[in-house]
Amino acid sequence: MTKGQHSVSYSARLPRLTEFGARCRSYVFDSLANELLDYNPSHRRLWGPVKRLESLYPDSNPQGNYADPVSQTNGFIFVRIRGGFHEIRNSICDVVVVARLLNATLAMPEILSTTSSKGISSQFKSFAYLYNEEQFVLSLAKDVTIVRTLPKDLKGARRKKEIPVFRVPYSASPFYYFHHVLPVLKSHSVVELVVSEGGCLKATLPPDFEEYQRLRCRVSFHALKFRQEVQELSAKILQRQFYCLLSFKLRAPGRPFIAFDPGMTRESLAYHGCAELFQDVHTELIQHKRSWMLKRGIVKGKLSINSAEERLKGSCPLMPEEIGTLLRAYGYSRDTIIYVSGGEVFGGQRTLIPLHSMFENVIDRTSLSTPWEMVRLYGHEVKLVESPGPPPFTEEVTKRAAWKNAGPRPRPLPPPPARLKSYNIEGWWGWVAESDNEPDSTVMELRTNAHKLLWEAIDYVICVEADVFIPGFDLDGKGHPNFASLVMGHRLYQSATSKTFRPDRKEAAKLLDEIRQHMHHANHTWLESVRRLLTKTLLDGIIEASSKSKLQSFLSHPVPECSCLRRDSFEVSKNSSSPSTSQLWKALSITRRCPAWMDSGPISLSKDKESEEVVEEDDSVSELFFGQSAENHEGDAEVNNKEENQFEDQEDEGGDR
């Protein structure tokens, strides 16, 4: 390269380098400034803890007389689990409880989507592909006897299909196992359970089964730890730097972030008839899945459903642009970090474009990890070569030969090529118009499904640790636990004070439709309505989950069985000028006090002071909804702040209750 060439190359790069340096400096100063925002009432409202939940502690330890598992059990239980990430996690918790119920020895559950026949690395075996086997066995040593594999004679009998198999129904009662499974277990010393649909035990159990509910919590929140490679990469992503090599991390001091789970799966969209939320082939795919569900009795109703009406009923998920609008209206600025979770967002990345236009830092797992790290996570996998398609039909070959040997032009057009049976997730699904049944998955697709479990495991860790979590859809169509519902349950158990919005989709849809045609001219009354709605869900959403979500998934609401109240919280309630705190505990049926050793410090008595905090409007919110910036309209900003001073922070007042 000559001197002139080098000069031109450097000058071409100079603007980019200057922009890069400016961005780094900006983030450095922002990080330093944000450290002072903890004293800002608006910052505390956006990112601070939910004060009224600060006395709620996790406690899943056994209560009273809880015996260790006996050495002489009724036999072995071998379990095969079908489904995705959330279905697997929920099913494992259920089968451990079933093993305890039947006084059986549990063989390590087999996750069918991670067996070696799916083309994944032979380095990991089924359960160990996703979870830490040693942690699982040791954590539950005082609850259930767990072995790595069945004894040799029983393994041989299983290969010969000589052991009884139960395809367990979803949400079976304990009495099903006592009356159907236990007699067979005692007579054969082994049974095999096939679990699908995300669970094999009722979410709500009789009061005298409360210890089994606490066992579920111990399994999900303590025993089910991801394997070391997944935990290490998740920790790196939480601390990863990007944009520049200076203090901008997902988990950087002064840089809190929001985790958003879209929850847009093809199955839930088809179940509720939300096809018209999308366009072109995606609508056709949803309708094809709904037709399949109708023919098998999974869903009742008509094939074509008015998606607009279902959306107004709250049955359809909130789209990413709608979630973005709610967050901006609540007060989150344009530079807020939004982490989008989910192994796959139905509709592709184009559905996230509006969210990117509202927030400049929309990231996901792929933004914070390298391909090399993911390959290392998968382990050594053999290279798969897709088998060539079937040879053309004889008739088609004959037609083409006739066309080539035809007379002078003009000739008729050649016959169209046959539609390939293979398909691409991002391309045209050729089988939709040809068959009611979807084509069998290729080995490559089966391998990708196993990879998705690891993707969602990383997302799960990040969502649980996020400063704020908001779902687009918290339960799927069948009422089974989905990814978001498990995350919210884990956050409620582990750190109840962490902000977890549970938006009422019906109310949110009404508010969003009010300004759909004039979003940039929304008034302050509308902004206050959105803020009151989201603030109200911080507490009312938990109370609502106790009467709705818990009936379908215990792990989505492990309260009150797996929680306790600090002893001094009762004194705080007595000294409080509002009875709302005691009403909250009563609504959640929490009466158990924590052990004395959990009382690590005094509970804040500044509730009344915090309830008087004002909510100041963020300048970036003005830019989005009013088309003006604080720099050019300082006088208007003062007026806006005076109006916002009338809006009280309802987090400590419990909304309108």
Side-chain angles (χ1 to χ4, degrees), residues 450-518:
H451 291 173
K452 288 179 182 178
L453 297 179
L454 300 177
W455 304 345
E456 294 194 59
I458 293 173
D459 289 341
Y460 186 86
V461 173
I462 293 175
C463 287
V464 169
E465 297 294 330
D467 299 276
V468 175
F469 178 74
I470 184 168
F473 199 61
D474 57 350
L475 282 177
D476 65 14
K478 298 183 291 296
H480 303 177
N482 67 353
F483 182 90
S485 66
L486 292 184
V487 168
M488 290 191 292
H490 199 146
R491 288 170 65 88
L492 179 61
Y493 173 82
Q494 177 176 294
S495 54
T497 58
S498 297
K499 269 191 168 58
T500 301
F501 293 115
R502 302 166 185 256
D504 184 326
R505 294 188 297 276
K506 184 177 180 179
E507 294 298 324
K510 291 180 181 178
L511 285 173
L512 291 165
D513 283 352
E514 289 179 8
I515 62 155
R516 191 167 296 278
Q517 302 302 326
H518 48 87

Side-chain angles (χ1 to χ4, degrees), residues 121 123-124 129 227 229-230 232-234 236-237 240 339 343 364-381 447-448 450-459 462:
S121 174
Q123 179 181 351
F124 310 103
Y129 185 77
R227 60 178 165 95
E229 294 84 356
V230 177
E232 289 177 352
L233 183 55
S234 301
K236 286 181 180 178
I237 289 177
R240 180 131 292 166
Y339 182 91
D364 57 19
R365 168 188 45 81
T366 60
S367 307
L368 301 173
S369 62
T370 64
W372 178 83
E373 287 175 324
M374 298 308 300
V375 170
R376 184 181 178 187
L377 192 66
Y378 304 148
H380 178 71
E381 297 176 331
R447 172 184 286 183
T448 302
H451 291 173
K452 288 179 182 178
L453 297 179
L454 300 177
W455 304 345
E456 294 194 59
I458 293 173
D459 289 341
I462 293 175

Side-chain angles (χ1 to χ4, degrees), residues 233-505:
L233 183 55
S234 301
K236 286 181 180 178
I237 289 177
L238 279 169
Q239 298 295 332
R240 180 131 292 166
Q241 300 176 4
F242 60 103
Y243 280 122
C244 62
L245 300 179
L246 304 173
S247 73
F248 187 55
K249 309 175 184 177
L250 185 56
R251 175 61 80 186
R255 293 290 299 185
F257 71 99
I258 300 173
F260 162 52
D261 179 65
M264 296 191 300
T265 64
R266 184 176 165 221
E267 289 72 18
S268 61
L269 294 167
Y271 188 92
H272 289 290
C274 304
E276 296 171 8
L277 296 179
F278 299 86
Q279 297 177 353
D280 53 61
V281 68
H282 296 97
T283 297
E284 191 172 352
L285 283 169
I286 295 171
Q287 289 296 82
H288 187 277
K289 189 68 175 181
R290 182 170 177 83
S291 175
W292 182 88
M293 289 179 170
L294 286 168
K295 291 179 180 179
R296 286 155 181 80
I298 300 175
V299 62
K300 297 180 180 179
K302 299 179 181 179
L303 176 61
S304 298
I305 303 293
N306 189 326
S307 297
E309 292 182 359
E310 294 301 311
R311 174 180 168 275
L312 291 176
K313 294 178 183 177
S315 297
C316 294
L318 293 172
M319 301 296 284
E321 62 266 28
E322 296 176 323
I323 290 291
T325 302
L326 294 176
L327 292 176
R328 290 300 304 274
Y330 191 74
Y332 291 103
S333 61
R334 180 175 173 78
D335 65 345
T336 300
I337 305 173
I338 308 291
Y339 182 91
V340 181
S341 71
E344 174 185 347
V345 178
F346 188 80
Q349 288 296 314
R350 69 176 183 176
T351 61
L352 298 174
I353 292 176
L355 187 64
H356 281 269
S357 68
M358 297 181 190
F359 295 94
E360 60 187 24
N361 294 321
V362 178
I363 56 177
D364 57 19
R365 168 188 45 81
T366 60
S367 307
L368 301 173
S369 62
T370 64
W372 178 83
E373 287 175 324
M374 298 308 300
V375 170
R376 184 181 178 187
L377 192 66
Y378 304 148
H380 178 71
E381 297 176 331
V382 296
K383 185 176 181 180
L384 296 178
V385 180
E386 296 288 348
S387 59
F393 297 104
T394 304
E395 181 180 358
E396 183 178 343
V397 174
T398 305
K399 286 182 179 180
R400 290 186 179 277
W403 181 81
K404 289 181 180 180
N405 298 328
R409 290 177 172 79
R411 303 178 185 178
L413 293 175
R419 179 176 290 176
L420 298 177
K421 294 293 182 182
S422 61
Y423 58 92
N424 188 303
I425 291 179
E426 296 294 336
W428 175 259
W429 297 52
W431 47 265
V432 172
E434 295 185 357
S435 172
D436 175 55
N437 296 320
E438 301 182 11
D440 295 334
S441 298
T442 63
V443 177
M444 181 64 73
E445 290 167 341
L446 294 174
R447 172 184 286 183
T448 302
N449 289 337
H451 291 173
K452 288 179 182 178
L453 297 179
L454 300 177
W455 304 345
E456 294 194 59
I458 293 173
D459 289 341
Y460 186 86
V461 173
I462 293 175
C463 287
V464 169
E465 297 294 330
D467 299 276
V468 175
F469 178 74
I470 184 168
F473 199 61
D474 57 350
L475 282 177
D476 65 14
K478 298 183 291 296
H480 303 177
N482 67 353
F483 182 90
S485 66
L486 292 184
V487 168
M488 290 191 292
H490 199 146
R491 288 170 65 88
L492 179 61
Y493 173 82
Q494 177 176 294
S495 54
T497 58
S498 297
K499 269 191 168 58
T500 301
F501 293 115
R502 302 166 185 256
D504 184 326
R505 294 188 297 276

Side-chain angles (χ1 to χ4, degrees), residues 53 71 167 170 183 219 255 315 331 355 375 512 537 539 553 563 567 630 653 657:
L53 295 175
S71 57
R167 297 188 179 276
Y170 175 77
V219 178
R255 293 290 299 185
S315 297
L355 187 64
V375 170
L512 291 165
T537 66
L539 294 175
S553 166
S563 300
R567 293 176 176 269
E653 292 294 338
R657 295 182 298 106

Side-chain angles (χ1 to χ4, degrees), residues 48-66:
V50 183
K51 291 292 185 180
R52 290 182 59 204
L53 295 175
E54 65 180 357
S55 55
L56 186 65
Y57 274 31
D59 183 17
S60 59
N61 294 322
Q63 306 295 320
N65 297 324
Y66 185 81

Side-chain angles (χ1 to χ4, degrees), residues 538-599:
L538 293 173
L539 294 175
D540 285 9
I542 298 176
I543 297 175
E544 185 178 358
S546 64
S547 60
K548 292 184 179 180
S549 301
K550 187 171 184 174
L551 299 178
Q552 303 163 336
S553 166
F554 173 77
L555 293 179
S556 67
H557 187 78
V559 174
E561 293 87 347
C562 301
S563 300
C564 62
L565 290 176
R566 283 180 50 176
R567 293 176 176 269
D568 49 1
S569 66
F570 293 94
E571 298 300 326
V572 173
S573 299
K574 293 178 182 179
N575 297 332
S576 174
S577 61
S578 172
S580 56
T581 301
S582 59
Q583 291 175 356
L584 174 64
W585 306 140
K586 184 177 180 180
L588 296 176
S589 302
I590 304 175
T591 58
R592 187 160 54 92
R593 297 189 179 189
C594 296
W597 61 268
M598 287 190 179
D599 293 334

